[in-house]
Amino acid sequence: MISLQNQIILITGASSGIGTACARVFANTGAKLILAARRLERLQELADTLKKEFNTETHLIQLDVRDRAAVESAIANLPPDWADIDILINNAGLSRGLDKLHEGSFADWEEMIDTNIKGLLYLTRYVVPGMVKRDRGHVVNIGSIAGHQTYPNGNVYCGTKAAVRAISEGLKLDLLGTPIRVTSVDPGMVETEFSDVRFHGDTERAKKVYQGVTPLTPDDVADVVFFCVTRSPHVNINEVVLMPVDQASATLVNRRT
Ligand code: NDP
Ligand code: 8X3
């Protein structure tokens, strides 16, 4: 296992769910964490907690990953002590709606495509050249089982996650000959704010997604991310698919109630 002491880790979407869990799992390793999301107050709260619990150094960026100029400026203007990013965790993402394709909302589609695909690309495009120059680095993309299996009404969200899968593969191919590692971590059902966001704040509908099952927790996913980034430098974990025991496929779930 490699040490993360003084490594600089940038986590997008650190204000909630899997991103927050990733921040917590790395907080006690001596790594320095750059936490990015739109909700700065959430990041500040998390940073204060991590400082108190683990004395973690953090640098916060209020960032909408859909805004290419903002991503460029955020990376270009990192303070010198924070600029040499070792690990990029492209986690920011969302689903919006669960509609038949021919009835889908254009606004929902654009938000998913702009966040899950273009946002991830912007971060990658602005961070990876530094990794190439320094001859070190690791990119972890949070994909989904939705990138492996398309489910009814999942159409565009599944399309964005299939794109993430292809982009992870493409990045790995293009970085051959460098020591930079690329990993896609692809979970099934994880209980976070994901379904609240998908159903535009309809919490009753969101709760039903997890009813009667034991879903993955954000910590379960963060554990896998931690495993992937702490392997020996010659080992690249390309892809990890993880699901709750109660889930067999994107559509087949064992509900006890
Ligand atoms: P949450 O809704 O709990 O967290 C999503 C995070 O993404 C938030 O921190 C949010 O921050 C951030 N985010 C969303 N849009 C933007 C944006 N435009 N700019 C910057 N940050 C943004 O959901 P999860 O933790 O579940 O989701 C994290 C990732 O995991 C996503 O990529 C999701 O697709 C993926 N995933 C989730 C699964 C699940 O079942 N929950 C399963 C498989 C994959 P803020 O709103 O503050 O900007
Ligand atoms: C989230 C998992 O199955 O809701 O990516 O699409 S699923």
Side-chain angles (χ1 to χ4, degrees), residues 95 143-146 151 157-158 161 187-190 194-195 198 209 247 250:
S95 65
S144 169
I145 58 163
Y151 51 86
Y157 177 71
C158 296
K161 290 300 183 177
M189 187 185 275
V190 191
F194 178 85
S195 293
R198 164 166 263 172
V209 173
Q247 183 172 30

Side-chain angles (χ1 to χ4, degrees), residues 72-94:
E72 180 178 24
S73 158
I75 302 304
N77 293 309
L78 283 168
D81 284 0
W82 290 89
D84 294 349
I85 296 166
D86 296 294
I87 300 171
L88 167 63
I89 302 177
N90 274 318
N91 162 76
L94 81 183

